[in-house]
Amino acid sequence: MDLTSISSPSFLKSLDNEQLKELSEDIRSFLIENLAVTGGHIGPNLGVVELTIALHKSFNSPEDKFLWDVGHQAYVHKILTGRASQFDTLRQFKGLCGFPKRIESEHDVWEAGHSSTSLSAAMGMAKARDIQNKKNYVVPIIGDGALTGGMALEALNHIGHEKTDMTVILNDNEMSIAPNVGALHNVLGRLRTHGTYNKAKDELESLLKKIPAVGGKLAVTAERVKDSLKYLLVSGAFFEELGFTYLGPIDGHDFVALEENLQYAKKMKGPVILHVITKKGKGYKPAELDKIGTWHGTGPYKMETGDFVKSTSKGPSWSALVAETARKLARTDKRIVAITPAMPVGSKLEGFASEFPNRMFDVGIAEQHATTMAAGMAADGMKPMLVIYSTFLQRAYDQILHDICRQNLNVVIGIDRSGLVGADGETHQGVFDISFLRHMPNMVIMMPKDENEGQHMVKTAFDYSDGPIALRYPRGNGLGVPMDEELKTIPIGSWEVLKEGTQAAILTFGTTIPMAMKAAEVLSKNNISVEVINARFIKPLDGEMLRDLQARNIPIVTLEESVLQGGFGSAVIEFYNEHNLQADVHRMGIPDIFIEHGEVNQLLEEIHITSDEIVKVVTSKVNESTRYISS
């Protein structure tokens, strides 16, 4: 079938099962071929082909609301709602978003990039429906990994208590990104092995009804037997105690089972949870065989072999650098432990886990728990390193403030994917952490200029004993600089001059340092002498260097790959204000907008963070300063 000819999912209503199977194969081939070029979340989407088709056949989108938890598994949904022709632009600049996007289609009713939000949003939509006397179905689709998130459990509790009409699809593929962990995951495992719970329960109920009731006594006994079966099978007991009707588990690749159970769910009152077993990566052997999450989300790959297109970068992965330096230090310091919320693969902690299995904790999709757990370990003398993506750290704001900073505990926070991340877009850009961490008392924030300084910052973080310290590092690879063999501690709050200058100064850190150095070279050729400073400590600032710059009466440009509001540039202005010093400070950074998907360089160019723009700003400021002095 030509998938680009699809304009709406209504055509599915007339297809028989054989035609649906053919469509499934067409969609899988389409995804494998297209994602080989663009990259993307191939594993999750190959696993939900039949499920997505069955949902769109059984329900009527957009009147009926589909809420895709996390959203990375919505590619099939996008194809069936008329966007196949745009897949060559998937996750590309100005192209198709890799997550549901409300402005893209009326069928995308809920946007997500973080997990465990679908049930709460579905509860909101269901209550809005009921208040407005509408009759549509609300269908959140949530994975077994996302179900372990605290927010999802809070929502389950509320939905069950209110007995709200809703069909929850539990997409169980035994993995989120990395293999799932936790007691709830084990409950789902028992459900998989016990077979179709609801069928067994219904068969028993049918049998009991055939027994003549004598004086009502046997009827009461029958109900007790039926209730006991619920606990005997373990199965749906967890969900049914929360107030849900549990259906399943069923084969998520079997159209007959899917349609039968979806129709059954639609007829039931109150909340229903349909437990669907799917195979992540189905139909593409390299993805099917993946047991650790490598094929969850990928860059381009060779379709025929499954080999990934290798990066041309000479430097090590930033995630690996931080994880492996911590591993090295852990060999001589038994107090060092690592904690991650479901990202051991992405943050390259497999080596640490292999060498120190008792000192590595993957807590699942539970950022708040991970953060307070780190605080608890620090309170009892350990040296925990909480490794977490910048975008996910947002979810643990209160725990950092209340549990770590307020108690001034020695927790190392490794903020992976700091700065712009590119293709994952606005839900994943790591550009807010400076602003929400900088105002917390006791917090130290730093970011290295290259991987060599990065390894020294890891040591600095573990040597620091006066409270929490955050190490920011970007997505991708280092610059390929020579690495010192011996690790050293960097004085807290110290900056360094990378290039001396007399007419202006650029203060920057991390990924924007090469940009500043390039601009300084151009300015030098234009006879403008600019100092470039590695402002590697974002908090505390290097007060001595700031005072020196102010005394020299030269314009200062701050440059950061993070939001301007509450950011590093604001900190510099605040410093001068607090010390009653006058300084000409111009801030360059991310404006008050959400940054969408695309190559990082394209995104930076769109918001005017480039070496050319720095040259314009510095030239203008120097000319202003010269006119002021001459007048």
Side-chain angles (χ1 to χ4, degrees), residues 331-358:
R331 290 175 184 139
T332 56
D333 189 340
K334 294 183 178 180
R335 295 173 297 169
I336 292 176
V337 297
I339 303 171
T340 182
M343 300 306 295
V345 178
S347 289
K348 307 299 183 188
L349 288 163
E350 305 102 315
F352 192 105
S354 175
E355 187 167 350
F356 306 110
N358 295 327

Short mmCIF file of all heavy atoms in Angstrom, two decimals, residues 331-358:
data_model
loop_
_atom_site.label_atom_id
_atom_site.label_comp_id
_atom_site.label_asym_id
_atom_site.label_seq_id
_atom_site.Cartn_x
_atom_site.Cartn_y
_atom_site.Cartn_z
N ARG A 331 37.23 3.06 42.42
CA ARG A 331 38.12 1.95 42.75
C ARG A 331 38.91 2.21 44.04
O ARG A 331 39.30 1.27 44.73
CB ARG A 331 39.10 1.69 41.60
CG ARG A 331 38.42 1.11 40.37
CD ARG A 331 39.35 0.96 39.19
NE ARG A 331 38.63 0.50 38.01
CZ ARG A 331 38.83 0.94 36.79
NH1 ARG A 331 39.77 1.86 36.55
NH2 ARG A 331 38.11 0.48 35.78
N THR A 332 39.12 3.48 44.34
CA THR A 332 39.88 3.82 45.55
C THR A 332 39.02 4.47 46.62
O THR A 332 39.51 4.75 47.71
CB THR A 332 41.06 4.75 45.19
OG1 THR A 332 40.56 5.91 44.51
CG2 THR A 332 42.06 4.03 44.30
N ASP A 333 37.78 4.74 46.30
CA ASP A 333 36.87 5.36 47.27
C ASP A 333 35.57 4.56 47.28
O ASP A 333 34.72 4.72 46.42
CB ASP A 333 36.61 6.82 46.92
CG ASP A 333 35.86 7.56 48.04
OD1 ASP A 333 35.22 6.89 48.88
OD2 ASP A 333 35.90 8.80 48.06
N LYS A 334 35.42 3.71 48.29
CA LYS A 334 34.26 2.83 48.36
C LYS A 334 32.96 3.55 48.72
O LYS A 334 31.89 2.93 48.71
CB LYS A 334 34.53 1.70 49.35
CG LYS A 334 35.65 0.77 48.90
CD LYS A 334 35.84 -0.38 49.85
CE LYS A 334 36.95 -1.33 49.34
NZ LYS A 334 37.16 -2.48 50.24
N ARG A 335 33.07 4.83 49.01
CA ARG A 335 31.85 5.59 49.32
C ARG A 335 31.14 6.06 48.05
O ARG A 335 29.98 6.46 48.10
CB ARG A 335 32.20 6.81 50.18
CG ARG A 335 32.75 6.46 51.56
CD ARG A 335 33.23 7.71 52.28
NE ARG A 335 34.35 8.33 51.55
CZ ARG A 335 34.83 9.54 51.81
NH1 ARG A 335 34.27 10.28 52.77
NH2 ARG A 335 35.85 10.02 51.12
N ILE A 336 31.81 6.01 46.91
CA ILE A 336 31.22 6.49 45.67
C ILE A 336 30.21 5.48 45.13
O ILE A 336 30.52 4.30 44.95
CB ILE A 336 32.31 6.77 44.62
CG1 ILE A 336 33.18 7.96 45.05
CG2 ILE A 336 31.71 7.03 43.24
CD1 ILE A 336 34.35 8.24 44.13
N VAL A 337 28.99 5.98 44.86
CA VAL A 337 27.93 5.17 44.26
C VAL A 337 27.31 5.97 43.12
O VAL A 337 27.43 7.19 43.07
CB VAL A 337 26.84 4.79 45.29
CG1 VAL A 337 27.41 3.93 46.40
CG2 VAL A 337 26.17 6.05 45.85
N ALA A 338 26.65 5.27 42.21
CA ALA A 338 25.97 5.92 41.09
C ALA A 338 24.49 5.59 41.12
O ALA A 338 24.10 4.46 41.41
CB ALA A 338 26.58 5.49 39.76
N ILE A 339 23.67 6.58 40.83
CA ILE A 339 22.22 6.42 40.80
C ILE A 339 21.70 7.03 39.49
O ILE A 339 22.11 8.13 39.12
CB ILE A 339 21.54 7.14 41.99
CG1 ILE A 339 22.10 6.64 43.32
CG2 ILE A 339 20.03 6.95 41.94
CD1 ILE A 339 21.64 7.44 44.53
N THR A 340 20.82 6.31 38.82
CA THR A 340 20.22 6.85 37.59
C THR A 340 18.76 6.46 37.50
O THR A 340 18.40 5.34 37.87
CB THR A 340 20.98 6.37 36.34
OG1 THR A 340 20.38 6.97 35.17
CG2 THR A 340 20.92 4.86 36.19
N PRO A 341 17.91 7.35 37.02
CA PRO A 341 16.50 6.99 36.80
C PRO A 341 16.28 6.46 35.39
O PRO A 341 15.92 7.19 34.48
CB PRO A 341 15.76 8.32 37.04
CG PRO A 341 16.76 9.37 36.64
CD PRO A 341 18.13 8.80 36.86
N ALA A 342 16.55 5.17 35.21
CA ALA A 342 16.25 4.44 33.96
C ALA A 342 17.14 4.81 32.78
O ALA A 342 16.80 4.50 31.64
CB ALA A 342 14.78 4.62 33.57
N MET A 343 18.31 5.41 33.03
CA MET A 343 19.17 5.80 31.92
C MET A 343 20.59 5.23 32.03
O MET A 343 21.57 5.91 31.73
CB MET A 343 19.26 7.34 31.84
CG MET A 343 17.94 8.03 31.63
SD MET A 343 16.99 7.45 30.20
CE MET A 343 18.07 7.93 28.88
N PRO A 344 20.76 3.97 32.41
CA PRO A 344 22.12 3.43 32.53
C PRO A 344 22.83 3.31 31.19
O PRO A 344 24.05 3.44 31.11
CB PRO A 344 21.90 2.05 33.16
CG PRO A 344 20.51 1.67 32.75
CD PRO A 344 19.74 2.96 32.75
N VAL A 345 22.06 3.08 30.12
CA VAL A 345 22.66 2.94 28.79
C VAL A 345 23.00 4.30 28.22
O VAL A 345 24.12 4.56 27.79
CB VAL A 345 21.73 2.15 27.85
CG1 VAL A 345 22.34 2.07 26.46
CG2 VAL A 345 21.46 0.76 28.40
N GLY A 346 22.01 5.21 28.21
CA GLY A 346 22.23 6.54 27.67
C GLY A 346 23.35 7.27 28.36
O GLY A 346 24.14 7.98 27.73
N SER A 347 23.46 7.11 29.68
CA SER A 347 24.50 7.79 30.44
C SER A 347 25.76 6.94 30.62
O SER A 347 26.64 7.27 31.42
CB SER A 347 23.96 8.21 31.82
OG SER A 347 23.03 9.28 31.67
N LYS A 348 25.85 5.83 29.87
CA LYS A 348 27.06 5.01 29.77
C LYS A 348 27.56 4.48 31.12
O LYS A 348 28.75 4.45 31.39
CB LYS A 348 28.19 5.80 29.10
CG LYS A 348 27.82 6.41 27.76
CD LYS A 348 27.44 5.37 26.73
CE LYS A 348 27.13 6.00 25.37
NZ LYS A 348 26.59 5.03 24.40
N LEU A 349 26.62 4.04 31.94
CA LEU A 349 26.98 3.53 33.26
C LEU A 349 27.11 2.01 33.31
O LEU A 349 27.27 1.44 34.38
CB LEU A 349 25.93 3.99 34.29
CG LEU A 349 25.97 5.47 34.65
CD1 LEU A 349 24.68 5.88 35.33
CD2 LEU A 349 27.17 5.79 35.54
N GLU A 350 27.06 1.36 32.15
CA GLU A 350 27.13 -0.11 32.14
C GLU A 350 28.43 -0.61 32.75
O GLU A 350 28.46 -1.61 33.47
CB GLU A 350 27.00 -0.66 30.72
CG GLU A 350 25.76 -0.22 29.96
CD GLU A 350 26.05 0.88 28.96
OE1 GLU A 350 26.78 1.82 29.33
OE2 GLU A 350 25.57 0.78 27.83
N GLY A 351 29.54 0.08 32.45
CA GLY A 351 30.84 -0.33 32.99
C GLY A 351 30.89 -0.19 34.50
O GLY A 351 31.38 -1.08 35.20
N PHE A 352 30.37 0.91 35.00
CA PHE A 352 30.31 1.13 36.45
C PHE A 352 29.47 0.02 37.10
O PHE A 352 29.85 -0.56 38.11
CB PHE A 352 29.70 2.50 36.75
CG PHE A 352 29.85 2.95 38.18
CD1 PHE A 352 30.78 3.92 38.52
CD2 PHE A 352 29.07 2.40 39.19
CE1 PHE A 352 30.92 4.34 39.84
CE2 PHE A 352 29.19 2.81 40.51
CZ PHE A 352 30.13 3.78 40.83
N ALA A 353 28.32 -0.28 36.48
CA ALA A 353 27.43 -1.31 37.03
C ALA A 353 28.08 -2.69 37.01
O ALA A 353 27.90 -3.49 37.94
CB ALA A 353 26.13 -1.34 36.23
N SER A 354 28.85 -2.97 35.96
CA SER A 354 29.51 -4.27 35.85
C SER A 354 30.59 -4.44 36.92
O SER A 354 30.70 -5.50 37.53
CB SER A 354 30.13 -4.40 34.45
OG SER A 354 30.87 -5.59 34.35
N GLU A 355 31.35 -3.38 37.16
CA GLU A 355 32.44 -3.47 38.13
C GLU A 355 31.95 -3.34 39.57
O GLU A 355 32.50 -3.96 40.48
CB GLU A 355 33.49 -2.40 37.83
CG GLU A 355 34.74 -2.52 38.69
CD GLU A 355 35.89 -1.66 38.19
OE1 GLU A 355 35.79 -1.10 37.06
OE2 GLU A 355 36.90 -1.55 38.91
N PHE A 356 30.91 -2.52 39.76
CA PHE A 356 30.41 -2.27 41.12
C PHE A 356 28.89 -2.50 41.18
O PHE A 356 28.10 -1.56 41.36
CB PHE A 356 30.72 -0.83 41.55
CG PHE A 356 32.16 -0.45 41.45
CD1 PHE A 356 32.58 0.46 40.48
CD2 PHE A 356 33.12 -1.01 42.29
CE1 PHE A 356 33.91 0.82 40.36
CE2 PHE A 356 34.46 -0.65 42.18
CZ PHE A 356 34.86 0.25 41.22
N PRO A 357 28.46 -3.73 41.00
CA PRO A 357 27.01 -4.00 40.94
C PRO A 357 26.26 -3.60 42.20
O PRO A 357 25.07 -3.27 42.13
CB PRO A 357 26.94 -5.52 40.70
CG PRO A 357 28.27 -6.05 41.15
CD PRO A 357 29.25 -4.97 40.87
N ASN A 358 26.93 -3.60 43.33
CA ASN A 358 26.27 -3.24 44.59
C ASN A 358 26.31 -1.74 44.87
O ASN A 358 25.76 -1.27 45.86
CB ASN A 358 26.91 -3.99 45.76
CG ASN A 358 26.71 -5.49 45.67
OD1 ASN A 358 25.68 -5.94 45.17
ND2 ASN A 358 27.69 -6.26 46.12
#
